[in-house]
């Protein structure tokens, strides 16, 4: 009789576990749609392959590559004004305080 009770309790716990798990997971907060910040340029990223989910493409936001929808047609690396990486130094060697 004792084995029957132990088996009955074990069976009850096993069958009740999915219901308890569903109750706990349904308590997660509901997150609404995410607003896109205004004035943030999202540049397309020229990639050879698109590994983003359907409807998205590789983009750069502030120099970080991720998936999204671009808000401009110019790439981050070829935008007007260029970058400071290609400039030559205007200071002689050993000179302090040059820019």
């Amino acid at each position: 009789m004792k084995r029957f009770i132990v088996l009955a309790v074990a069976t009850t716990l096993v069958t009740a576990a999915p219901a308890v798990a569903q109750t706990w997971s349904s308590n997660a907060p509901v997150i609404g749609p995410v607003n896109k910040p205004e004035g943030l340029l999202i540049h397309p990223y020229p990639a050879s392959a698109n590994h983003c989910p359907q409807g998205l493409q590789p983009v750069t936001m502030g120099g970080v590559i991720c998936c999204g929808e671009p808000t401009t047609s110019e790439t981050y690396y070829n935008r007007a004004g260029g970058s400071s990486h290609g400039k030559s130094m205007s200071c002689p060697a050993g000179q302090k305080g040059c820019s």
Side-chain angles (χ1 to χ4, degrees), residues 42-88:
I42 303 174
H43 302 277
Y45 181 78
S48 59
N50 183 356
H51 299 287
C52 295
Q54 187 173 358
L56 301 177
Q57 71 180 60
V59 295
T60 56
M61 290 187 284
V64 177
I65 301 169
C66 55
C67 295
E69 298 174 3
T71 59
T72 181
S73 61
E74 61 184 17
T75 63
Y76 179 77
Y77 302 103
N78 293 332
R79 62 185 179 192
S83 66
S84 61
H85 297 289
K87 294 181 180 177
S88 61

Side-chain angles (χ1 to χ4, degrees), residues 11 17 19-22 30 32 35-36 48 50 70 75-77 79 96:
T11 304
V20 172
Q22 282 183 330
V30 177
N35 294 330
K36 292 183 180 178
S48 59
N50 183 356
T75 63
Y76 179 77
Y77 302 103
R79 62 185 179 192
K96 291 186 178 182

Side-chain angles (χ1 to χ4, degrees), residues 14-33:
V14 168
T15 57
V20 172
Q22 282 183 330
T23 303
W24 288 342
S25 65
S26 66
N27 292 335
V30 177
I31 300 174

